[in-house]
Amino acid sequence: MNPVKIGFLGFGTVGQGAAVVLARNAVEINRRAGRDIIVKSAAVRDISRERAPELASVALTTNHDDIVNDPEIDVVIEVMGGDEPARSLLLKAIANGKHVVTANKALIAVHGNEIFEAARKHGVSVAFEAAVAGGIPVIKSIREGLAGNKIQWLAGIINGTSNYILTEMRDKGRDFPEVLDEAQALGYAEADPTFDVEGIDAAHKLTILASIAFGVPLKFDAVYTEGISHITQEDTVYAEELGYRIKHVGLAIDTGNGIELRVHPALLPERRLIANVDGVMNAVLVQADAVGPTLYYGAGAGAEPTGSSVVADILDVVRVASADVHNRVPVLAFQHDSINESRTVPSSEFQTSYYLRILAEDVPGVMADISRILADQNINIEAIIQKGPASGSSKLPIVLLTKQIVEGAMDAAIAQLEQLKSVEGAVVRIRVESLG
Ligand code: NAP
Ligand code: HSE
């Protein structure tokens, strides 16, 4: 069979990672695809930038049209990142009848509905395994491997940079900014690293996972999003004392009264496998009715792990290219006309337990005041640790674990706690997820 020619939009960490994997494993890949896959060209911003020496045969250009309008190119790989021009270029490639593969979760989470519609119209495939959890084939597992199940909930550590930072803070006592710099140098972080540390990247990925798990449209704006920038070394130590690990998690839950979508730091019981996923590794735990819980684990970022997912998508696209478009695996797992609008649960209705850290004056009655406010909101305390004041301070950190309560009640209690004269500053609140 004729070789398949591919062109890259972007040739940085992921683009070169994928091209290196394609070159190194060319024989194995040909045995799987039944055809050679040739990287013809790549569009970049700066041609003079150094690239991997084994990719010298790839023609570089700064003109995107050299890729999306090239009649010889069958598959376009978008790994430039961001919104525009990535969106317009993918739509142009699709309009030109090319299959597209992307690692750009921001693009799929926000513009996926439009891109999939264009692809349906033009009878081409859109593949995006690399957009969620780097090298873990979690999209394929949920879309195809769990296709016989009703999925009840999923929970994931889906941002490698945040997990790397939290792990280094906990294990080595390192500072947040120093570890973030390192994650950027290792190629893990987004072009704008606030996407990683403020939970936006994880929210993009959760949007995609939820759509595939529940057959709902992509709704990025519906995700409650909180990052890790307020987590301190102190909180990681107290959490350990209580038998928990602080992880940044994405949760998508079919509550029966809507879909709960949230991304935030959480205390996870340290006995859970997922609480022991460290460094740049990611994991997604899926609870489904027939199979029960399944856990998908692997590298969440980096050149070759993410390249591995891009190459798997290229192979899929090549294999299905000859099948009738209506008989391919649906892009969001469910048939296009079966995607259901569903209510999104507001954060005030979330039901969970909480870790609270309150900095309080060492005066009589302070504990009674705190307990009264929590009791008034029907909040039950599970455990308390009271620490001595830090040197040079008269304030005591009081750490509490609560039983499950609706988030609206916790919001009200925190607002009242912060009004107490004996309480200083904001109350630290981290959700606790037992994932049982
Ligand atoms: P990167 O290393 O910064 O590479 C981006 C590439 O795109 C570079 O080659 C850059 O050109 C090119 N580029 C950017 N804007 C361009 C423009 N307007 N016109 C032409 N070329 C342009 O980024 P990356 O880490 O590979 O990430 C790429 C995508 O993969 C992003 O959507 C990211 O979210 C996603 N992703 C990344 C990882 C990871 O571990 N890094 C994992 C999963 C998904 P120059 O080389 O000339 O600068
Ligand atoms: N910046 C992302 C992360 C890359 O750290 O997880 C992988 O999507």
Side-chain angles (χ1 to χ4, degrees):
M1 275 184 106
N2 288 342
V4 175
K5 292 204 175 144
I6 64 177
F8 281 78
L9 293 167
F11 214 44
T13 305
V14 177
Q16 292 181 82
V20 165
V21 172
L22 274 171
R24 191 176 64 230
N25 297 337
V27 173
E28 285 296 292
I29 289 167
N30 175 299
R31 287 175 61 209
R32 291 185 173 117
R35 307 168 74 169
D36 280 336
I37 294 171
I38 295 172
V39 181
K40 184 178 179 198
S41 46
V44 294
R45 251 177 325 210
D46 175 5
I47 287 189
S48 66
R49 230 182 96 185
E50 201 180 329
R51 314 279 159 183
E54 63 266 49
L55 304 177
S57 64
V58 179
L60 297 181
T61 173
T62 52
N63 183 358
H64 307 128
D65 286 344
D66 290 347
I67 309 295
V68 296
N69 288 343
D70 181 342
E72 276 196 359
I73 289 179
D74 307 293
V75 186
V76 169
I77 320 297
E78 186 276 306
V79 279
M80 65 201 309
D83 200 304
E84 288 294 352
R87 173 186 154 275
S88 305
L89 290 170
L90 271 199
L91 291 172
K92 204 165 178 183
I94 288 169
N96 286 340
K98 300 184 191 310
H99 304 288
V100 296
V101 171
T102 180
N104 189 340
K105 49 272 167 147
L107 189 68
I108 294 296
V110 178
H111 300 292
N113 296 322
E114 178 191 17
I115 290 169
F116 300 149
E117 191 51 44
R120 270 169 36 83
K121 191 170 138 206
H122 292 279
V124 297
S125 300
V126 183
F128 48 90
E129 182 67 68
V132 180
I136 310 175
V138 65
I139 302 267
K140 199 173 186 72
S141 300
I142 295 177
R143 186 160 54 192
E144 298 178 42
L146 299 183
N149 288 259
K150 175 165 173 50
I151 294 174
Q152 292 148 333
W153 55 263
L154 61 85
I157 293 176
I158 46 179
N159 183 264
T161 303
S162 296
N163 203 39
Y164 186 73
I165 293 171
L166 289 175
T167 306
E168 292 287 306
M169 279 168 66
R170 187 197 71 212
D171 289 355
K172 303 188 187 148
R174 296 178 65 196
D175 286 338
F176 191 111
E178 175 196 325
V179 190
L180 175 58
D181 285 351
E182 191 175 291
Q184 286 182 278
L186 289 165
Y188 302 155
E190 294 304 299
D192 175 355
T194 55
F195 276 48
D196 295 291
V197 298
E198 297 304 346
I200 301 159
D201 177 75
H204 287 142
K205 293 167 179 166
L206 190 77
T207 302
I208 299 170
L209 286 174
S211 217
I212 285 167
F214 304 127
V216 295
L218 296 154
K219 280 200 238 175
F220 169 66
D221 290 341
V223 183
Y224 169 88
T225 304
E226 195 182 300
I228 59 161
S229 55
H230 63 292
I231 300 292
T232 62
Q233 173 85 31
E234 201 182 358
D235 292 316
T236 62
V237 171
Y238 295 152
E240 296 261 344
E241 280 184 35
L242 291 159
Y244 291 84
R245 296 259 165 97
I246 299 182
K247 292 288 176 191
H248 188 255
V249 293
L251 287 154
I253 306 166
D254 183 350
T255 66
N257 182 28
I259 309 287
E260 205 167 291
L261 296 171
R262 47 193 170 106
V263 157
H264 54 73
L267 275 75
L268 305 182
E270 68 187 1
R271 66 180 183 283
R272 295 250 174 258
L273 274 175
I274 196 167
N276 292 281
V277 171
D278 285 336
V280 73
M281 304 310 269
N282 279 192
V284 181
L285 176 60
V286 183
Q287 176 68 37
D289 69 340
V291 70
T294 52
L295 181 67
Y296 307 86
Y297 169 84
E304 289 203 15
T306 312
S308 156
S309 288
V310 170
V311 172
D313 272 350
I314 296 170
L315 274 169
D316 256 1
V317 163
V318 169
R319 286 190 187 118
V320 301
S322 53
D324 156 25
V325 70
H326 299 296
N327 288 314
R328 296 175 193 164
V329 177
V331 72
L332 283 179
F334 291 73
Q335 292 297 331
H336 179 69
D337 50 10
S338 302
I339 299 285
N340 294 334
E341 273 302 338
S342 171
R343 173 177 182 262
T344 305
V345 177
S347 64
S348 59
E349 289 179 27
F350 295 169
Q351 289 267 5
T352 189
S353 312
Y354 295 86
Y355 161 103
L356 301 181
R357 178 162 56 78
I358 304 164
L359 201 55
E361 288 283 358
D362 187 10
V363 291
V366 65
M367 214 46 157
D369 287 343
I370 293 171
S371 306
R372 179 185 42 77
I373 289 174
L374 295 177
D376 284 353
Q377 294 297 336
N378 219 13
I379 297 170
N380 212 340
I381 297 172
E382 171 102 39
I384 298 186
I385 328 180
Q386 185 172 336
K387 294 284 175 185
S391 69
S393 165
S394 60
K395 310 288 187 315
L396 303 173
I398 298 170
V399 177
L400 297 168
L401 279 187
T402 74
K403 296 218 161 127
Q404 264 211 0
I405 185 76
V406 70
E407 183 136 326
M410 183 52 81
D411 290 341
I414 288 177
Q416 288 172 41
L417 288 170
E418 288 174 349
Q419 294 296 312
L420 286 177
K421 281 212 178 65
S422 49
V423 167
E424 184 179 289
V427 171
V428 173
R429 169 243 306 262
I430 309 177
R431 295 170 191 85
V432 179
E433 304 296 340
S434 68
L435 303 182

